[in-house]
Amino acid sequence: MANTPGAIPEQTTRTVVPKAPLLKRLRGQRQLMFMSLPIVAYILVFSYYPIWGWVMAFQNYSPAKSFTQQEWVGLKHFKFLLTDDAFLNVLRNTIAMSVINMVLGFATAIIFAILLNEIKHKFYKRTIQTISYLPHFLSWIIVTGIVASSLSVDGGIVNVVLMKLHIIQEPIMWLSVPEYFWGIVGASHVWKEVGWNAIIYLAAITSIDPSLYEAAEIDGANRYKKMLYVTLPGIKSIVIILLIMNMGWILEAGFEVQYLLGNGVVVDWSQTIDIFVLKYGLQIGNYSLATAAGIFKTVVSITLIFAANSISKRLGEDRLI
Amino acid sequence: MGGLKKKKLWGSVSLVLALSLALAGCSGDNEKATTKDGKEVLNITAFIGTPNQAPAKDNRIYKKIQDELGVNLEMEFLVGDLQQKLGVMIAGGDFPDLITADTKLVSAGAVIPLEDLIEEHAPNLKKHFGKDWNRMKDSSDGHIYWLPNYGVYTGEFISNYYSGPAFWIQKSILKDAGYPTPKTLDDFTTLVRDYAAKNPTIDGQPTIGFTTLASDWRTFPLLNPPEHLTGHPNDGGVVVDDSGVATVFADKDISKRYYKELNNLYNEGLLDKEAFVQNYDQYLAKISSGRVLSMFDQHWNFQAGEDPLVAQGKIGQTYVGFPLVYDTSITDHYLDRPVINLNNGFGISKDAEDPVALIKFLDKLMDEKYQKLLSWGEEGVDYQVNEEGRFYRTPEQRTEQDDPAWRLVNKAEGFYAAAPKLEGTFEDGNAIGAINQPEEFYDNLKPEDKELLDAYGFKTWSDFFSPAPENPVYYPAWQVDLKEGSDAAVANKQMTDTSLKFLPKAIMSKPNEFDNIWTEYVDAYKKIDVKSYEDRINEQLKWRIENWSVK
């Protein structure tokens, strides 16, 4: 499967079907076309029409004026963003927290799915799975409430447990140490989403041909070897597809967690692009700056998704685009 | 490509259509409510910029308003952050009829000028705002956009109850120490220290000596004390000198002195460790637990945390405010004369279908009859009138008023707080709010409160403060509109951010590190365009002096 250096890449052969004229093909698929109309309209209205709003980023936009009265300022807002210390920090935080969430999210979900797959007792397996995905249905405001009270110095469970185990001497103010913030966000994400994310891998695992396991067993593979050489490669393509799809969200490190858990003390580590947009854009009525930051985010996301896609192509895996 | 397939397709399409029509039919409620005399009820949508609890569905007062004035109020209360909510509202371009005041909405052209409407259709409002008419005009275009909700007095001005800024301390501490009068910050912290040493836990939970709040826009509990401690009135982020020039004080030595004191408290374990990570709800919850000994705040801001204590009869754990200063040579200036609360209250949005009906409705509410209904309630139900025509409440009626759940069903508090209102006294001499009726105020005092006031020889809570001097014309500076998206607004945001980042760090540092962090803070502050902020404020103060002075 994988390309070793120097090996000749396999050629994918495709039977070339002569293309019928466009109109004829359209007519032939008219039911399909008809059915796709609502979706196309939906996307045009909700995903493409709003792009028009991007012109705001090049103006000093004021909602009271009509389009022709707006003052045009060129790239001023982009310059402000890229030279502002706070924004560069914000960018770092956004990327760092996204990468942490993504890597942790993937690794824990895959490991969890594989381990869960090894449990043969149906009742235990079901129970564990149900318990693990329940937090997914809680909203972030509840989760952050739980996180904040478990990390509290005032009888929060984390401090209590660590003290009882004599790992720490006195309670730690987890939420006021900037360096801990990314970790706390990452851990909260894992707690909330691991069970849910594992579902798709569990589904993928069930589609692996059982004869592969039998063959591996005959070859003398033990449990761990089977996980490593049969299960993992079996879900590789799913992992890659999900990775590409998630790449597009890399700058969506989130808003709620950081906004709800963040505070003045940790602001250098907690502020993400969305919070910056809220504070310096929406809250003080500076819509142009908010739009510029939004565009910036979109461009980076698109670049990343294409990069991921081409890497996957080189790996000889399925591609999304 | 048989006809059958086609039929199936059309079948499913029509099924979807039918379903969506049915669903749409469910959501449209076409029944029109009517008043007693059969007139159609006017629906008024209102957005109220404070996080009140929504009134009960069958609220008595709103029902009465609907029956008599033919107006049904559909109110939306704030959930989350106001600036975010307004920002989204502006971006979406969709506004309710009545909208909470915010200068951002003026810049966005979301509200309509009111002066002509008031002149033509609202005699009561015109009379009410008459002497403040010029102050209410927007400094940029001379229009009036807001109907301020507080600060316009008629008749006699009575203030028994103090809801402004102060250093608040639990009543039981005062009782325990034999009713002393702390004058300086040192006196105050000594009281707190002594009491905390004697009472390490309260109701089974660890005692918190002093707490503060810096969450969302509620940053004044942390940021404002230095101006008060130096004898300045509440001007927000600046102090204004005698010649009317405003300067930012957050990075100056007068601030350093206060935060150093908090640093001491922190290192002694008396300052709430979670003061800077808590949000407003957690802050209120902490206060209502009764274990917070003291804090700096404005009473209206922590009132909701005190209510449950009153309802549980834990009067000793409620608070008395003191006007602290750095040293006794400074005269305190906490108590100020009422000023009209500019940039607050209601405006009418450009989406309102019938602004005339709206203004007429608000005008009718300014009638004394409805003001009595909104503040006192219904005669015989919520209050009684004695032979001399004085209003009073029976003990049972007072108990009801203390119960937040009862108030949701029987009072129109959410709307009343945001609407323009009479303050002071009615024509018959009764105070407009029950709390301001002197005899009612005194009779309503809990025994513990009477004991406390008697011990100090005072009649009201305001007596703890120096009498308010005459306000300067421009006062207060915190009401200056910075203009949306301007350099001043950006600088203001950066200043707050910097303070919220460094002050907690400095306060929570080891005593010997404090000075270094303070220097870092001052350096960070220097990088901000503070001047544009000061300039905007000074320009506006000058404008006010020119335009508001009585000629």
Side-chain angles (χ1 to χ4, degrees), chain A residues 85-86 88-98 100 174-186 253-254 257-259 261-273 275 279, chain B residues 501 505:
Chain A
D85 288 345
L88 297 179
N89 248 338
V90 161
L91 196 62
R92 177 201 67 178
N93 295 341
T94 313
I95 293 173
M97 275 187 266
S98 294
I100 291 173
W174 296 98
L175 285 172
S176 69
V177 184
E179 288 77 12
Y180 293 163
F181 194 81
W182 293 355
I184 293 171
V185 169
V257 215
Q258 289 86 350
Y259 189 71
L261 281 182
N263 54 63
V265 192
V266 296
V267 70
D268 278 347
W269 298 70
S270 71
Q271 193 156 270
T272 60
I273 294 185
I275 297 174
K279 274 185 16 188
Chain B
K501 185 167 122 190
K505 219 192 248 178

Side-chain angles (χ1 to χ4, degrees), chain B residues 7-79:
Chain B
K7 251 187 205 155
K8 263 191 186 161
L9 180 65
W10 282 116
S12 48
V13 168
S14 51
L15 186 68
V16 169
L17 268 177
L19 261 178
S20 52
L21 280 178
L23 286 175
C26 289
S27 59
D29 185 4
N30 286 327
E31 236 174 276
K32 283 254 175 10
T34 50
T35 57
K36 267 186 282 181
D37 44 352
K39 264 189 274 172
E40 214 169 78
V41 165
L42 173 71
N43 264 325
I44 293 181
T45 51
F47 172 67
I48 292 171
T50 49
N52 305 57
Q53 266 184 291
K57 195 105 190 115
D58 49 354
N59 181 292
R60 179 154 56 91
I61 305 296
Y62 290 117
K63 182 85 186 22
K64 211 168 155 73
I65 290 177
Q66 175 166 350
D67 287 344
E68 294 184 11
L69 297 177
V71 168
N72 173 36
L73 285 164
E74 277 175 33
M75 286 175 293
E76 186 192 350
F77 294 100
L78 175 68
V79 178

Side-chain angles (χ1 to χ4, degrees), chain B residues 365-470:
Chain B
L365 285 182
M366 291 305 284
D367 195 301
E368 285 205 353
K369 179 182 158 197
Y370 289 104
Q371 289 294 307
K372 280 174 188 166
L373 178 70
L374 286 168
S375 72
W376 282 88
E378 289 179 282
E379 187 180 331
V381 181
D382 299 304
Y383 67 97
Q384 313 292 335
V385 187
N386 67 14
E387 309 83 64
E388 293 132 46
R390 299 293 288 176
F391 295 178
Y392 70 98
R393 281 187 176 135
T394 64
E396 296 79 50
Q397 287 168 343
R398 284 177 203 140
T399 322
E400 283 175 342
Q401 298 283 335
D402 283 340
D403 179 5
W406 182 88
R407 295 206 301 260
L408 285 182
V409 186
N410 296 290
K411 299 212 78 173
E413 285 178 328
F415 180 77
Y416 183 51
K421 61 177 75 60
L422 296 178
E423 284 178 272
T425 48
F426 289 119
E427 273 168 20
D428 58 17
N430 281 301
I432 285 164
I435 199 85
N436 290 327
Q437 184 91 322
E439 62 269 29
E440 176 62 23
F441 169 78
Y442 193 77
D443 290 344
N444 195 19
L445 285 175
K446 310 286 178 216
E448 295 90 336
D449 288 343
K450 279 188 191 149
E451 186 191 333
L452 189 140
L453 283 175
D454 289 346
Y456 283 98
F458 290 148
K459 286 262 166 285
T460 72
W461 299 119
S462 307
D463 292 341
F464 287 94
F465 299 80
S466 295
E470 196 69 58

